[in-house]
Amino acid sequence: MRTMKSSTFKRIMGNMKGAYLSYGVGIVGLAITGFLIQATLALLFLNLFDNLAGGSFQAVLDSILNYIIYIMIIIAFIPFFAYLADRSAVITTGNIRKRAFGKLTRLPLRYFQQHHSAETISTLTNDIAETEKAYSEHLVRFLASIFTGIGTMIVMFILDWRIALIPVFAGLLTILVNSIFAKRLRTVSKDVQAQLAHVNTRLSNILAGMHVIRIFNIQNLILSKFKKQNKATLAVSQKRIKRLSLVESLNDLVFTIGFAGIVLLGSLLVLEGLTTIGVIIAIVQLQNGVSELVRMLGSFIANLQASLAAGERVFELIDQEEEPERYASATPLTGQGSAIALQDVIFSYESDQRVLDQLSLAIKHKQTVALVGPSGGGKSTVFKLLLQYYPVESGGMHIDGKPVDAMTIKAIRDQIAYVPQDAYLFNTTIRENIAYGKPDATEEDIITAAKSANAHDFIMELEQAYDTMVGEHGAKLSGGQRQRIAIARAMIKGAPILLLDEATSALDNASERLVQSALDKLMKDKTSVIIAHRLSTIEHADCIVVISRGKVQEVGTHETLLQKNDGDYKRLYQRQLKLSD
């Protein structure tokens, strides 16, 4: 992961490209109007009470009328400045979200195996929403308070510098208190965001496994575990609230002491004839600007720490190492005329356990090859390497006669269509799911692919036909229907290499016949590699490869492999015959 050279806050604000000017005008405008309102009210009170002391009621009315007009003119500008600031904030959040989501599409598969989906969703939702507050709320209010606070201090010193010293000293004391608690608040805020991600993970697991929870009647157990996680989140949140409350209480204490000091000193000066009651009332009003700065400083530091903690989590995602443009082939290959060739390939998911151990395999153009063997032997891993989900640790790999390091990952995947055992469909229309195989597909292309996949007839029986929403993971369709949509998606892609990962193993007999018929059409004139547990489905393959313990154990046709008296394939085949009997 790349080391962050700039601060989190600078990186957040760096996403405001194209909106700096409007944001600056907006927050400065809000700051100026805030100060002008405070100063105008103070001058109103000064004139009002001095005129009352002088006994001039007409002068009192004139002061009220004039200053109300000034305040209304000032307030009229606030919506415009607020719009500029808010618009810039929306643009910034959009840029951050676009960068984070864009990064998600470029991350290697290993990232998703190491991070729960709910944790990633929490980063893309909760953390980005909390990060947004840094510039949409906290910074806007703080800068407005800074401008108002400094402006009102200047006016206070003009009115009476002696009284003005009291709120200044109170403000400095508050700054010291808040700076002491800043780091602690940031740490606990980051813990809160992490705990919220854990809660999302729990909720995601519960929603995804609801049928298992019901079948095994483990509602109470699951609820107990969720309560435990929720309790941990509550404990961290309460810890943050306690620290926030302490900071706010100290701020209130300093404000109260400052207010008492102004009243006490002001009263003495009035008795000595050194100032007027109007000046004291005006300074008390102006103290609101200073106290707002002080109060905002306390909440700003605390709240900003929470936003920065969330921002760090967002940038942890953005800084993840991306999937490279291409993976290097560790060893040069001979026999480069094959559609697919692997030579002495070594691969491990974990460093201490090899999944593939010097595996070699050559598949000719337009040949149908079946990979069989016990679970965990390495068959699916071969597919993952062909799809460039991972680089090989050692050995070489060619696709269509070219070494993989001479091709981009995108170029390799463009040559491969993949139909897994449990086809994933997006929660959108059937039409769009099929078209994902070829984004520029015409309506005719989509219908032709669906017909070839034996899917068109059942699609047309649906009320909205190709515009039918399939539901989450395709839940509104049966397993066979989902599989045929996936086959149509593979057909429309038109890739020369086809990978089938037990594409019919989870279907009933009727669905299997329809899917198998569609697969036969799909495999025509293509280099096809099939993973199968039911050996009866691959008897007519051009070549059968037995993979076990990360190595190729046997290679041959169905007939030749059955002739080996002590062969692995023969044992697997006979075992399945007994089970079927």
Side-chain angles (χ1 to χ4, degrees):
M1 186 183 298
R2 181 171 65 85
T3 302
M4 286 192 289
K5 296 181 180 179
S6 57
S7 70
T8 302
F9 185 73
K10 286 179 65 177
R11 295 191 68 189
I12 292 172
M13 298 306 292
N15 288 277
M16 200 176 279
K17 294 178 181 177
Y20 288 117
L21 180 60
S22 60
Y23 186 72
V25 171
I27 61 175
V28 169
L30 289 172
I32 292 174
T33 53
F35 160 69
L36 290 176
I37 289 174
Q38 290 286 346
T40 304
L41 285 173
L43 294 176
L44 168 62
F45 291 143
L46 187 151
N47 284 278
L48 179 64
F49 283 93
D50 282 352
N51 287 330
L52 283 173
S56 175
F57 183 71
Q58 185 60 46
V60 170
L61 291 177
D62 291 342
S63 295
I64 293 174
L65 180 62
N66 290 334
Y67 283 108
I68 285 178
I69 292 173
Y70 296 153
I71 291 173
M72 291 179 64
I73 293 173
I74 295 167
I75 290 174
F77 285 94
I78 291 178
F80 172 70
F81 294 128
Y83 164 76
L84 292 179
D86 291 343
R87 173 181 173 275
S88 304
V90 169
I91 291 173
T92 306
T93 303
N95 289 338
I96 292 175
R97 189 175 287 115
K98 183 167 61 177
R99 286 184 63 194
F101 185 80
K103 169 63 70 141
L104 205 63
T105 63
R106 299 189 297 272
L107 290 175
L109 189 64
R110 196 179 297 274
Y111 172 86
F112 300 99
Q113 292 177 332
Q114 295 172 348
H115 297 78
H116 197 285
S117 59
E119 182 182 339
T120 304
I121 291 171
S122 180
T123 298
L124 293 172
T125 54
N126 295 340
D127 291 336
I128 289 181
E130 182 62 42
T131 301
E132 180 184 31
K133 293 178 182 178
Y135 48 84
S136 67
E137 298 179 20
H138 310 325
L139 185 61
V140 173
R141 293 175 183 172
F142 179 64
L143 291 180
S145 299
I146 285 279
F147 199 99
T148 301
I150 293 175
T152 53
M153 273 191 243
I154 293 172
V155 176
M156 280 193 292
F157 273 94
I158 294 173
L159 293 176
D160 194 305
W161 65 269
R162 292 159 297 192
I163 302 176
L165 286 174
I166 294 175
V168 170
F169 283 126
L172 293 174
L173 181 59
T174 304
I175 291 172
L176 176 63
V177 170
N178 285 279
S179 62
I180 292 172
F181 283 90
K183 187 175 181 180
R184 298 176 186 175
L185 285 168
R186 184 168 185 171
T187 301
V188 74
S189 295
K190 193 169 185 179
D191 292 340
V192 170
Q193 294 300 121
Q195 288 295 334
L196 287 173
H198 294 327
V199 169
N200 282 342
T201 299
R202 286 282 183 191
L203 286 172
S204 176
N205 287 335
I206 290 171
L207 293 174
M210 189 59 72
H211 61 290
V212 177
I213 294 171
R214 298 291 177 83
I215 291 170
F216 290 96
N217 284 322
I218 53 175
Q219 291 93 330
N220 291 336
L221 175 61
I222 296 299
L223 181 60
S224 173
K225 290 186 175 183
F226 180 79
K227 285 181 177 179
K228 184 178 179 180
Q229 181 63 64
N230 198 45
K231 186 177 180 181
T233 305
L234 178 62
V236 176
S237 299
Q238 287 177 334
K239 185 177 180 181
R240 178 172 180 265
I241 290 171
K242 287 177 182 177
R243 293 186 179 179
L244 280 173
S245 299
L246 178 59
V247 172
E248 290 174 359
S249 297
L250 291 173
N251 289 337
D252 290 339
L253 177 62
V254 174
F255 170 77
T256 303
I257 294 173
F259 176 76
I262 291 173
V263 173
L264 180 61
L265 179 59
S267 298
L268 292 174
L269 293 175
V270 169
L271 293 175
E272 294 291 331
L274 299 175
T275 190
T276 66
I277 294 177
V279 170
I280 296 176
I281 299 298
I283 291 179
V284 169
Q285 168 59 33
L286 290 169
Q287 192 204 13
N288 290 331
V290 179
S291 64
E292 178 63 22
L293 169 60
V294 170
R295 288 172 180 271
M296 179 54 66
L297 181 61
S299 61
F300 171 74
I301 292 175
N303 293 328
L304 183 63
Q305 298 310 313
S307 294
L308 293 180
E312 286 177 0
R313 288 171 56 84
V314 174
F315 288 121
E316 283 174 7
L317 171 63
I318 291 175
D319 291 337
Q320 289 288 332
E321 186 176 347
E322 296 181 6
E323 185 176 66
E325 184 181 5
R326 68 190 76 215
Y327 287 128
S329 181
T331 304
L333 275 176
T334 58
Q336 300 176 7
S338 302
I340 298 172
L342 291 83
Q343 183 173 308
D344 298 328
V345 169
I346 295 175
F347 177 79
S348 306
Y349 293 107
E350 304 293 337
S351 58
D352 59 343
Q353 187 175 3
R354 286 185 180 182
V355 179
L356 300 182
D357 187 6
Q358 294 186 318
L359 182 140
S360 296
L361 178 66
I363 300 173
K364 298 177 182 178
H365 289 280
K366 298 184 180 180
Q367 188 178 34
T368 298
V369 174
L371 307 183
V372 301
S375 297
K379 304 183 298 297
S380 295
T381 299
V382 171
F383 273 23
K384 290 174 183 178
L385 295 182
L386 292 175
L387 290 165
Q388 298 292 282
Y389 290 161
Y390 304 96
V392 299
E393 294 173 18
S394 178
M397 186 186 306
H398 274 67
I399 302 291
D400 195 27
K402 300 175 184 177
V404 292
D405 55 3
M407 307 169 66
T408 64
I409 291 175
K410 181 181 183 302
I412 293 172
R413 291 174 182 164
D414 283 342
Q415 295 190 57
I416 300 174
Y418 175 50
V419 181
Q421 176 181 358
D422 186 15
Y424 182 86
L425 299 185
F426 293 91
N427 187 16
T428 183
T429 64
I430 291 176
R431 174 184 286 102
E432 192 169 346
N433 269 289
I434 296 175
Y436 278 136
K438 183 183 177 184
D440 59 347
T442 63
E443 184 73 9
E444 184 180 356
D445 293 334
I446 293 169
I447 293 174
T448 300
K451 287 181 177 179
S452 298
N454 295 332
H456 178 73
D457 290 344
F458 90 77
I459 292 173
M460 295 308 296
E461 291 175 358
L462 300 171
E463 184 176 349
Q464 293 179 293
Y466 283 85
D467 292 319
T468 300
M469 298 292 292
V470 302
E472 187 176 5
H473 301 292
K476 294 181 179 180
L477 303 178
S478 69
Q481 290 172 336
R482 286 197 301 270
Q483 207 68 347
R484 280 178 276 166
I485 296 298
I487 292 170
R489 185 166 60 195
M491 282 183 167
I492 204 170
K493 185 174 184 179
I497 297 174
L498 176 64
L499 305 183
L500 303 175
D501 191 350
E502 304 183 59
T504 63
S505 64
L507 304 178
D508 58 58
N509 291 333
S511 296
E512 182 180 353
R513 284 194 296 271
L514 288 169
V515 170
Q516 189 60 55
S517 172
L519 288 174
D520 291 340
K521 298 174 189 176
L522 176 61
M523 293 163 58
K524 187 177 181 180
D525 296 326
K526 288 184 173 60
T527 303
S528 303
V529 188
I530 306 167
I531 292 177
H533 279 306
R534 286 193 286 181
L535 303 184
S536 59
T537 62
I538 48 94
E539 291 180 3
H540 300 294
D542 298 322
C543 180
I544 297 173
V545 179
V546 181
I547 297 178
S548 177
R549 300 180 298 279
K551 294 177 180 289
V552 172
Q553 304 294 339
E554 295 176 354
V555 179
T557 63
H558 173 70
E559 291 77 12
T560 59
L561 290 176
L562 285 181
Q563 292 173 7
K564 293 186 177 182
N565 292 329
D566 196 29
D568 290 339
Y569 180 78
K570 186 174 183 178
R571 281 196 298 273
L572 288 170
Y573 189 78
Q574 290 176 339
R575 189 181 304 149
Q576 288 193 10
L577 282 178
K578 289 180 181 179
L579 291 173
S580 63
D581 292 340

